[in-house]
Every structure is written in C-alpha cells, then in structure tokens.
Amino acid sequence: MAKSSPSLRIEIAPKFCCHDWALLKQKLSGDGRWESFQTAWSEAICVVNSRIQKRFLDVIDSLTPLPYAGFATLALDCLLLEAIQAFKQGHHTKTSPESKGAYKAILRSSPHFSRFFSSDQSADDFYTYVRNGLLHDGETRKGYLVKAVGPLLEARDDGSIRVNRKAFHVALCREFGDYVGRLSSPTEKQLRMNLVAAIDGLCERSGAGWKK
C-alpha cells in the first residue's frame, strides 16, 4: 500500500511516478505468473523500457554523432550497464565488489559481450580502468583507448587496448533488448519478480513516503 506523499510524484519513467507504480503493482501477480496478468505485466515492462529508452538510449543517440563524444557516450553506457543489471537481479549495487560483479555478470555471460571478455580478469580490468576511470575522473587508464572503429575490444601491438564505443553501445542495446524480450516469457517468473523488487527499490530511495 502507499500513502499520499510528494515523493510518490517522483517520476521513475516519463509520465509514470511511484504513485502510478503502487496502483499498477496491485494488479501484478505476487509470484511473477504471466498468465491472467499479461496486461499489467506488459505495462510494467513498458515502464522499465521507457525509463531506459528516454533516460539513456535517446540521450546517447543524440551524442553519438558529435565529435569527441567517446568519453561521454561510453560513460553513460557504463551507467546503463549497471542499471540494466539492477533490474535483472532485483536490486542496485551498494559496494564496489557488487558493482564489479554487475559488470562481470553481463560482460562474461552475455552473448553480445562474452567473446571479447573471455576471462574474469578482462571484465575486472574494464571495470577498473574504463568504468572507474571515466565515472570518477573523466579518463581511461592503463592504456585503454576509446575509439569508434574496430572490434568492440582489441589489444594492440603497442600495448594499448582499444574500446570501440559504438560497438559497445550496440552490444548493450542488444543485451537490453534480450532482457525486455525475456520478461514477456511465461517461464521467466523470477525475472519479473526481480523487476518488481528493483522498481520498489527506486521508489524507496526516492523518499520516505513510499510503502510497499
């Protein structure tokens, strides 16, 4: 249940706030069942899709053609990766090890990334030298270069490692598309339950007025 509060008016997706979520959640099955709840679940899926599309993907698409946009677009993609994983696992990361684990979960297991990140070390290095470098200091470290050509990830003869930020973005979009598609599968009960937990968490962090 939810009580009236300014915090409930905070948008979690365009034109959809925590108050709307509280009403929609009452129509969802508590155990993630798809049958007999398809309309409500479809609306919930639209919420997460709209949030990611409008707050990340559309913004990145607008920046991509600009010169010297590599750091900005890859930094946004680094944030987006963790946002996607938070919905998949049902909670956001709270510590550095958890954040690194989110990267490892996608980069090592996703069919769109795994052939470029063939070891835990390669995923850990990307997290440390690209994600942390960009988000904390606006720089990459240890020879990582952000480019818009070549393979998604390529070790160069000069010792540098080139990240194709366009290829990285395409792979991440495909990963998100796979996730949204899986949410509509009748068998993916746990994934839908995790979605509910993740959106509950968003509303809880938005202010004290939220109650499940």
Side-chain angles (χ1 to χ4, degrees):
M1 296 293 293
K3 67 179 182 179
S4 177
S5 166
S7 70
L8 298 183
R9 308 311 306 176
I10 293 176
E11 284 192 340
I12 55 178
K15 299 180 180 179
F16 192 94
C17 63
C18 289
H19 175 71
D20 300 316
W21 172 246
L23 297 176
L24 176 59
K25 185 179 174 183
Q26 296 174 14
K27 303 175 184 178
L28 302 174
S29 59
D31 61 357
R33 281 180 295 124
W34 177 259
E35 298 81 358
S36 303
F37 302 89
Q38 294 182 35
T39 299
W41 280 120
S42 294
E43 186 176 349
I45 294 168
C46 284
V47 170
V48 67
N49 187 63
S50 178
R51 178 180 176 87
I52 297 300
Q53 186 68 48
K54 296 300 182 182
R55 297 194 172 186
F56 289 97
L57 300 183
D58 287 354
V59 175
I60 295 171
D61 287 345
S62 69
L63 291 175
T64 296
L66 300 177
Y68 304 106
F71 274 24
T73 54
L74 188 55
L76 284 171
D77 270 331
C78 286
L79 291 173
L80 175 55
L81 185 151
E82 291 186 67
I84 292 171
Q85 185 60 21
F87 280 113
K88 292 173 69 175
Q89 66 189 14
H91 59 87
H92 75 297
T93 59
K94 299 178 181 179
T95 65
S96 292
E98 288 180 352
S99 181
K100 183 183 289 188
Y103 272 76
K104 195 174 297 183
I106 289 183
L107 298 182
R108 292 282 286 124
S109 65
S110 168
H112 310 296
F113 286 103
S114 58
R115 69 189 181 95
F116 300 101
F117 294 90
S118 57
S119 67
D120 287 351
Q121 188 62 55
S122 61
D124 288 347
D125 286 349
F126 183 90
Y127 172 82
T128 301
Y129 304 130
V130 179
R131 183 269 190 198
N132 284 356
L134 288 174
L135 298 188
H136 294 313
D137 298 308
E139 65 184 30
T140 55
R141 303 165 181 164
K142 294 290 184 179
Y144 277 84
L145 304 174
V146 180
K147 301 293 183 181
V149 295
L152 189 153
L153 192 71
E154 181 182 28
R156 308 286 285 175
D157 292 339
D158 61 3
S160 64
I161 301 175
R162 185 167 64 186
V163 182
N164 182 340
R165 46 102 171 179
K166 289 185 177 180
F168 190 93
H169 181 66
V170 168
L172 195 55
C173 287
R174 289 173 177 168
E175 176 66 19
F176 180 62
D178 288 352
Y179 166 66
V180 171
R182 286 177 58 199
L183 285 170
S184 298
S185 171
T187 62
E188 293 285 359
K189 294 180 181 180
Q190 187 61 54
L191 203 64
R192 286 189 291 274
M193 291 170 66
N194 288 351
L195 170 62
V196 170
I199 297 180
D200 280 350
L202 283 173
C203 290
E204 287 171 3
R205 293 189 297 276
S206 73
W210 168 259
K211 288 187 177 181
K212 294 183 181 180

